[in-house]
Amino acid sequence: MEFEEMLKDLKMNWEFMQPYRSAIQIVKTKLESIDDELKCENGDSPIHNIQSRIKTPDSILEKMARKGYSIDKKGFYQLNDIAGLRVVCHYINDIQYVSQLLIMHEDIQLVKKENYIDYPKESGYRSLHLVVRVQIYLKNGKVSIPVEIQLRTIAMDCWASLEHELYYKNHHCENEEVSSQLKECAIEIAKIDEKMQKIYQQLHNKI
């Protein structure tokens, strides 16, 4: 299938996207349930906020091309991040805790885990990425849909959002000086995250 034809099909044919919207809703509901339970038990929750998104047709096709996937349904179904959720937590330790609570659900299948917190990307990016699969029941039967979940602290989310704004949205070419400065910021923010975690633990231990 040609690029333009696939793009038109994605924009006009909601059949492709409907299961992904349903998958996001299922996982988001589970995260909101975790958030609510922890608030009831402890008076607060490690989850600061939950965001969700579906990739746009242009973004889907750009990634298929970048990954070298065929521009057809086969290539489309190779993507694991069409449906995405971002879970922003207060402290570093909250990230593993929330991720463990989520994957304990029997109907959540963990497919992939990438720890960019302990092993940051070269850019300085830090986050925990999970790819899970959930079962969606359609009129023609059951399908398994992947959902990517990014878990990060408020500080990590701040850096990632600003890096995207400064670097990608302004369409900079590869710039070593800019990359180096952004990485320095990521390192400083990571140090702040560690300090905030220690302060939280000190206060918690006094209670």
Side-chain angles (χ1 to χ4, degrees):
M1 186 181 294
E2 293 296 330
F3 190 94
E4 292 78 9
E5 184 182 348
M6 183 71 177
L7 178 60
K8 182 179 178 181
D9 208 17
L10 283 173
K11 287 181 174 179
M12 297 183 65
N13 192 346
W14 288 103
E15 176 189 355
F16 280 107
M17 310 308 292
Q18 188 275 326
Y20 292 89
R21 292 195 298 275
S22 296
I24 278 183
Q25 192 57 50
I26 288 172
V27 179
K28 188 176 182 182
T29 298
K30 290 182 179 297
L31 287 164
E32 288 171 344
S33 178
I34 291 170
D35 182 45
D36 188 53
E37 181 181 2
L38 293 174
K39 283 178 180 175
C40 290
E41 287 183 356
N42 308 318
D44 61 8
S45 167
I47 297 175
H48 176 64
N49 65 56
I50 303 167
Q51 305 161 30
S52 63
R53 64 104 182 99
I54 294 283
K55 272 188 177 295
T56 64
D58 291 288
S59 179
I60 289 169
L61 289 176
E62 184 276 328
K63 185 159 188 178
M64 288 167 65
R66 177 160 45 88
K67 291 286 187 180
Y69 298 158
S70 56
I71 308 300
D72 54 20
K73 286 186 178 181
K74 182 180 178 181
F76 176 86
Y77 290 124
Q78 285 182 269
L79 297 179
N80 286 324
D81 63 344
I82 293 172
L85 285 156
R86 182 179 302 153
V87 183
V88 179
C89 299
H90 294 105
Y91 305 103
I92 299 172
N93 290 355
D94 294 338
I95 293 172
Q96 289 290 352
Y97 182 49
V98 171
S99 68
Q100 288 169 1
L101 291 176
L102 176 65
I103 62 178
M104 281 173 57
H105 288 79
E106 292 183 357
D107 52 348
I108 295 282
Q109 178 192 356
L110 179 63
V111 176
K112 189 177 182 181
K113 181 177 181 178
E114 294 177 306
N115 187 349
Y116 297 120
I117 298 173
D118 295 331
Y119 307 97
K121 289 187 176 182
E122 181 60 30
S123 64
Y125 174 85
R126 285 172 165 82
S127 186
L128 179 67
H129 287 202
L130 306 178
V131 175
V132 302
R133 281 188 172 271
V134 293
Q135 300 294 322
I136 305 297
Y137 293 86
L138 304 175
K139 61 182 177 62
N140 294 325
K142 183 171 64 174
V143 294
S144 176
I145 300 295
V147 179
E148 183 190 66
I149 307 162
Q150 298 175 357
L151 298 103
R152 56 180 69 155
T153 64
I154 296 171
M156 292 174 196
D157 189 55
C158 176
W159 181 90
S161 297
L162 291 175
E163 189 251 8
H164 183 75
E165 181 72 27
L166 290 169
Y167 199 83
Y168 292 101
K169 284 194 174 181
N170 288 297
H171 305 291
H172 283 292
C173 297
E174 187 63 29
N175 186 313
E176 290 185 8
E177 183 180 355
V178 171
S179 297
S180 177
Q181 291 180 48
L182 286 169
K183 188 171 183 178
E184 287 176 11
C185 290
I187 292 169
E188 291 302 313
I189 286 174
K191 290 177 182 177
I192 291 171
D193 251 338
E194 291 173 2
K195 288 181 181 179
M196 297 299 285
Q197 180 71 63
K198 288 178 182 178
I199 292 170
Y200 170 80
Q201 290 172 333
Q202 288 171 1
L203 291 172
H204 183 74
N205 289 337
K206 288 182 180 179
I207 296 175

